Structure formats: structure tokens, C-alpha cells
């Protein structure tokens, strides 16, 4: 689905509408005809898909209290989408996003615990 930000004219567009893909790069905004993407099934891609499946299965094993905690965390910590708009993830989306990043960073944090408040020195 395409995302479009309207202003005095269309100021930003990102995504696909019909057979046209809208995007931007260092050269600016552009659009092109959509083509079916390839699926190279590289080892990194397969590993990431496996990791997502594992985290999704782990989400389903959480208690109601743990899921509620993740939803509360997600509500309190909105993220920016690709056009810079603030969006609130679901508890499951927040759980998967944080815990996939934790695993990729070799973070030993308990997977069912929500992140603490960031501190910087």
C-alpha cells in the first residue's frame, strides 16, 4: 500500500498504487512501474525469516499480563513510519521488533521483558 503525504500539492509519496511504485533516494522522489520482486532465498534472508517465526511463536506463549505489558510499552513508544508520521505498533509488533533486534545484537535481555527507559551518559 502506498503512503502519500498531502500538502499544498503532494509533498511525499511512498509505496505502490496500482502498477506504479513511488519512492525517493538521494536524487529525490521518483516513480516507476512495479515488477514482481525476486526471492533469492539467501542464507541471511532465510535466517531472518526463521527468527521472525521463532519470535512470533514465543509471543503466543506469553501470559496475558506480559502481552498487556508489551501493548502498554508500544502505546507509550510510538515509532516513525517511512514518511516521518508517528504510528503506534501493536504489542506483538513491538515484541517482534525489539526481540529480533535483541537477538541480532546478541543482547542477553529476557525476551518477555519490555525495554527499560533509555539512558545516555
Amino acid at each position: 500500500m502506498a503512503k502519500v503525504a498531502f500538502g499544498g500539492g503532494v509533498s511525499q509519496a511512498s509505496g505502490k498504487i496500482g502498477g506504479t511504485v513511488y519512492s525517493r533516494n538521494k536524487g529525490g522522489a521518483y516513480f516507476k512501474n512495479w515488477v514482481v520482486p525476486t526471492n533469492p532465498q539467501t542464507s541471511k534472508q532465510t535466517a531472518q525469516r526463521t527468527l521472525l517465526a521463532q519470535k512470533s511463536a514465543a509471543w503466543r506463549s506469553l501470559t496475558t499480563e506480559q502481552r498487556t505489558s508489551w501493548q502498554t510499552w508500544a502505546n507509550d513508544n510510538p515509532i516513525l513510519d517511512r514518511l516521518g508520521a508517528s504510528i503506534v505498533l501493536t504489542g506483538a509488533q513491538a515484541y517482534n521488533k525489539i526481540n529480533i533486534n535483541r537477538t541480532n545484537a546478541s543482547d542477553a535481555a529476557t525476551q518477555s521483558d519490555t525495554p527499560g527507559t533509555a539512558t545516555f551518559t
Side-chain angles (χ1 to χ4, degrees):
M1 173 189 307
K3 287 186 169 259
V4 180
F6 294 99
V10 174
S11 62
Q12 295 182 44
S14 177
K16 182 172 83 84
I17 298 176
T20 305
V21 177
Y22 299 87
S23 190
R24 61 186 159 79
N25 61 21
K26 66 180 180 179
Y30 69 92
F31 63 94
K32 64 182 182 178
N33 288 332
W34 182 78
V35 295
V36 176
T38 60
N39 185 7
Q41 297 183 353
T42 64
S43 60
K44 286 184 179 182
Q45 182 186 57
T46 303
Q48 199 68 6
R49 287 177 175 172
T50 301
L51 187 56
L52 177 59
Q54 291 170 349
K55 299 306 176 193
S56 295
W59 167 260
R60 292 188 294 274
S61 70
L62 294 181
T63 65
T64 302
E65 293 79 21
Q66 289 170 323
R67 288 183 186 199
T68 301
S69 178
W70 276 98
Q71 186 58 59
T72 301
W73 186 89
N75 291 340
D76 294 342
N77 296 279
I79 65 167
L80 298 179
D81 70 3
R82 62 186 179 206
L83 294 182
S86 180
I87 61 171
V88 176
L89 299 177
T90 67
Q93 290 169 326
Y95 176 86
N96 285 331
K97 180 179 181 66
I98 296 296
N99 285 311
I100 287 172
N101 287 337
R102 283 175 170 170
T103 299
N104 287 337
S106 300
D107 186 345
T110 304
Q111 301 286 301
S112 60
D113 293 341
T114 57
T117 304
T119 56
F120 300 97
T121 57

